[in-house]
Structures are given as structure tokens and as C-alpha cells.
Amino acid sequence: LDDFKYGTLYVTGGCSILGVAALAFLPENIGATVCYLVAVIPILWLGIGSTAPAAIANLIAAVKGGGDDTNRVDRVCRHEAAHFLCGYMCGLPIANYATTEENVPRVEFHYSAEGPATASRELSEDEVNALTVVAMSGSVAEAMEFGKAGGVNSDLMELQNIFRQSAKFLGAEKQQDLTRWGALTAYRLLNTNKQKLDDLADAFSKQKSIAECVGILEQ
């Protein structure tokens, strides 16, 4: 969220300076045209950020670069463990549990007890709520442990897919409210079950079976 906030400040401030400079140093007609064009950029930034935050997140990540990967495996384990914990707590059936190229188990859930969502079946309000919590849980867990989240881009992309399949139309403001609510609910679940999250992250790092992971949550 800080990246989005500071990104908005930088874009708005930078465009303001460019607009003033264009009027001051360029010929009158050209300066006015450039000023108008630059003024549109912050509006586009906010518009895209409201409707497709994953696009802005990817842009920010590209500008910031890859970052420190020294604890990448720990991050991925905690990220996936949080998805597992919150999905299980929300009552979603497991669709797939497999080891990735990074030798870390990754879990996927069906959208509901009815199985995978298809283009012909829209998601109910309860399904959207549960999936929002699960989608945000990985990034929240990373932020809780490491101070920032490195896997937020994929989570936001998944969240957009969920919103698009909602039976009830979700405008930009509603999507933002749901995202905040999902992050807060995920935090409460993870914080309440902190020891189980730690044990589950350790189990993921050791590539334990799905039965062993479920056993940790059932303790």
C-alpha cells in the first residue's frame, strides 16, 4: 500500500512540475498541449489503479527491480502457508497441492464446495468474500513477517479474476473496500493462528504431505 501511495505522490508531483515547466519554457501552443497531456497521466494512474491494481503493482515492481532474494524460499513458504491456512479456515476444498520449481509446495483451492468456477457459473457474494480473504492472505503473511510483501502482484491478479466472475457487479470503490476487508480479515485469521502459521510454513519448507499440513491445522 505504501508503494501505491508514494507512487501516486511521485506521479502527481512529477506531472505537476512537468506541466509548469512546459508552460514556462516551451512555445505557447506547444507548452499548453504538453501541459494538457501531462495532466492526464495522474488521472490515468488513478483510473487504472482503481480498476486493475495488478497492472500498477507490476509497473512499480519493474521500476523497483527484483530486490533481495536471500530469503525468497522463506517468503514463498510463508506466503503459500498463509493461503493454505486461510483457505482451510474459510472452508474451501483443495483443488491442487504440488511442489513448484522452487521446491516449495503450492496450494490451489476450488472456488467453492461446488468445485471449480467456470465461465458459465458466476460467483456468489459468500464465495467472493472467502476467495478475497484467501487471495490477500499470502501478501499479508509476508508483510507480517518480513515488513513487505513480494508476492502481491500475483495475488492482485487473482483477485481481479475473482471480481470479474462475481454474480453481483463490483465497481471500483466496492473492489477497493473488499480488498481492504480481505486483507484485514486475513490478518486477523493469521494473527490469531500465528503458531499454526509458523508450523505450516516450516512444514512447507520441508515439503510435507497435505495430510500432515491439515494435521497441523487440526491440532
Side-chain angles (χ1 to χ4, degrees), residues 3-4 45 54-67 149-153:
D3 287 341
F4 282 98
W45 174 275
I56 298 297
N58 287 330
L59 177 61
I60 292 174
V63 171
K64 291 177 68 176
V152 66
N153 298 345

Side-chain angles (χ1 to χ4, degrees), residues 11 14 16 31 50 72 81 84 98 123 154-155 169 176 181 191 197 200:
V11 169
S16 298
S50 297
R72 176 169 174 76
F84 192 104
L123 299 175
S154 58
D155 289 346
F169 173 75
Q176 291 178 9
W181 173 85
N191 195 48
L197 175 61
L200 201 56

Side-chain angles (χ1 to χ4, degrees), residues 51-130:
T51 57
I56 298 297
N58 287 330
L59 177 61
I60 292 174
V63 171
K64 291 177 68 176
D68 182 14
D69 288 338
T70 55
N71 58 351
R72 176 169 174 76
V73 173
D74 291 340
R75 283 179 174 274
V76 174
C77 286
R78 185 157 294 268
H79 188 108
E80 292 300 318
H83 284 320
F84 192 104
L85 188 151
C86 286
Y88 188 84
M89 293 291 183
C90 289
L92 298 178
I94 296 172
N96 186 43
Y97 179 83
T99 301
T100 67
E101 295 178 356
E102 298 171 315
N103 292 322
V104 175
R106 189 177 298 272
V107 63
E108 296 177 1
F109 290 93
H110 287 305
Y111 281 5
S112 74
E114 298 180 20
T118 62
S120 61
R121 189 179 78 80
E122 297 176 321
L123 299 175
S124 69
E125 184 175 355
D126 287 342
E127 290 171 339
V128 170
N129 289 343

Side-chain angles (χ1 to χ4, degrees), residues 130-147:
L131 290 164
T132 299
V133 173
V134 176
M136 295 305 299
S137 61
S139 299
V140 170
E142 283 192 58
M144 288 171 61
E145 183 70 14
F146 304 105

